Each structure stands twice: as C-alpha cells, then as structure tokens.
C-alpha cells in the first residue's frame, strides 16, 4: 500500500507542476514545464517511475490523462488571450 501511495503522489505532483508551470515566462518555469510535459509524453517502459509505468501501477489510461492535460492547457491559453470585459 505504501508503494501505491508513493506512485500516486508522483502523478499528483507531476500534474501540479504541469499546471503551475504552464505558460510561465521565466527560464526556470519554462524549463520545468518542458520537462514535466516531456515526462507525460514519453512512452518509456524501462524506467520504474515513467509516466506509462505510473499509469499501469495505478490502473489509469495514459491517453485519458494526456488528453485531459492538453484540454486544460488549451483552455488556459484561451483564457489568457481573451480580453477581460468589465
């Protein structure tokens, strides 16, 4: 059960970092976003804590999570580009 909690925490932290760093303009923020984005996109099955293996352990569908993150990111970009009406 402890291992399951650790793997779940890894996924939660990755999603948190993805959302926190999306659209950041600083070098550090952009780099962190790029790294976590690449982790989500990688189909690596060799590394124990790869996104694919984390999903397998948690019995989650990687495509579902990737699609959800993509939709979230697109909505964030749309909100940023829309003028604020007051």
């Amino acid at each position: 059960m402890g291992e399951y909690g650790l793997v779940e925490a890894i996924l939660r932290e990755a999603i948190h970092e993805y959302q926190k760093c999306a659209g950041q303009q600083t070098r550090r923020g952009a780099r962190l976003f790029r790294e976590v984005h690449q982790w989500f996109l990688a189909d690596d099955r060799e590394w124990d804590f790869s996104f694919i293996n984390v999903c397998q352990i948690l019995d989650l569908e990687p495509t579902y999570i990737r699609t959800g993150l993509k939709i979230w990111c697109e909505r964030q970009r749309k909100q940023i580009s829309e003028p604020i009406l007051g």
Side-chain angles (χ1 to χ4, degrees):
M1 196 62 166
E3 292 87 2
Y4 185 88
L6 172 63
V7 173
E8 184 180 11
I10 289 168
L11 181 59
R12 285 181 187 273
E13 183 62 21
I15 292 170
H16 174 76
E17 286 300 310
Y18 183 94
Q19 292 176 329
K20 183 176 88 174
C21 295
Q24 291 229 352
Q25 301 299 317
T26 65
R27 243 183 235 189
R28 182 177 183 274
R31 179 182 52 81
L32 289 173
F33 178 77
R34 190 171 47 252
E35 288 174 3
V36 74
H37 183 70
Q38 289 171 350
W39 182 78
F40 279 113
L41 293 179
D43 287 327
D44 178 10
R45 294 185 186 276
E46 299 294 319
W47 182 42
D48 291 338
F49 296 106
S50 69
F51 174 66
I52 294 296
N53 287 335
V54 164
C55 286
Q56 183 177 0
I57 291 167
L58 298 174
D59 197 27
L60 298 171
E61 177 57 44
T63 303
Y64 181 79
I65 295 171
R66 288 172 175 160
T67 301
L69 289 172
K70 181 180 178 184
I71 290 169
W72 179 88
C73 204
E74 289 169 356
R75 286 183 182 160
Q76 291 300 110
R77 287 185 185 138
K78 185 178 178 183
Q79 287 178 355
I80 291 170
S81 65
E82 288 181 353
I84 298 173
L85 301 175

